[in-house]
């Protein structure tokens, strides 16, 4: 049974930092591209960041570029999202997702096979 379990969300103030984690089980983690998505109330789910199977390639949404960093530890079967300089508009439920190795990092949620349950991030102004 595949499980992706996010953690690390919370309530912070604008300018603060948070690190999200997503622990995977039931898949060969090192063979999967991983992505972070988010969904704010009343808005569609959007791509935030992705990382390829080896960690050698990453991709970010323009809205988070320079502030967020995605990384992975294939020994711990975990992907991380370091979020710095948080803004109120970063408030959302954050989800991690996995898809079997691709040549490029998908930005469309429909291309991912597995999803976590999400973790809430709230940034107050």
């Amino acid at each position: 049974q595949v499980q992706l379990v996010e953690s690390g969300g919370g309530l912070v103030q604008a300018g603060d930092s948070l690190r999200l984690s997503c622990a995977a089980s039931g898949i060969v983690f090192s063979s999967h591209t991983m992505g972070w998505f988010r969904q704010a109330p009343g808005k569609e789910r959007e791509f935030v960041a992705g990382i390829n199977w080896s960690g050698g390639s990453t991709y970010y949404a323009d809205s988070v570029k320079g502030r967020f960093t995605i990384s992975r530890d294939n020994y711990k079967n975990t992907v991380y999202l370091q979020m710095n300089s948080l803004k109120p508009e970063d408030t959302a439920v954050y989800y991690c997702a996995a898809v079997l190795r691709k040549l490029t990092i998908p930005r469309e949620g429909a291309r991912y096979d597995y999803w976590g349950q999400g973790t809430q991030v709230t940034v107050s102004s």
Side-chain angles (χ1 to χ4, degrees):
Q1 181 182 358
V2 178
Q3 279 196 312
L4 301 178
V5 180
E6 302 96 335
S7 61
L11 172 63
V12 297
Q13 293 187 330
D16 285 350
S17 297
L18 275 177
R19 188 175 84 153
L20 305 184
S21 300
C22 171
S25 60
I27 58 173
V28 180
F29 183 73
S30 58
S31 295
H32 282 72
T33 294
M34 301 299 295
W36 284 99
F37 291 76
R38 67 186 181 186
Q39 187 166 21
K43 294 189 176 181
E44 291 187 354
R45 181 179 61 194
E46 65 173 352
F47 173 83
V48 175
I51 188 166
N52 76 335
W53 61 276
S54 69
S57 179
T58 58
Y59 191 87
Y60 297 93
D62 287 343
S63 58
V64 306
K65 204 172 294 183
R67 300 188 298 122
F68 291 11
T69 302
I70 189 171
S71 62
R72 66 189 296 157
D73 185 335
N74 284 349
Y75 294 103
K76 294 183 178 179
N77 290 355
T78 301
V79 62
Y80 305 97
L81 185 68
Q82 177 67 43
M83 306 186 295
N84 298 330
S85 302
L86 282 161
K87 304 175 181 180
E89 51 264 43
D90 295 318
T91 295
V93 177
Y94 283 71
Y95 300 90
C96 71
V99 61
L100 198 58
R101 186 185 307 186
K102 300 290 182 187
L103 291 177
T104 59
I105 298 169
R107 277 156 276 171
E108 303 82 10
R111 297 184 63 189
Y112 286 79
D113 297 319
Y114 307 108
W115 291 84
Q117 83 290 349
T119 186
Q120 176 72 46
V121 172
T122 303
V123 184
S124 64
S125 57

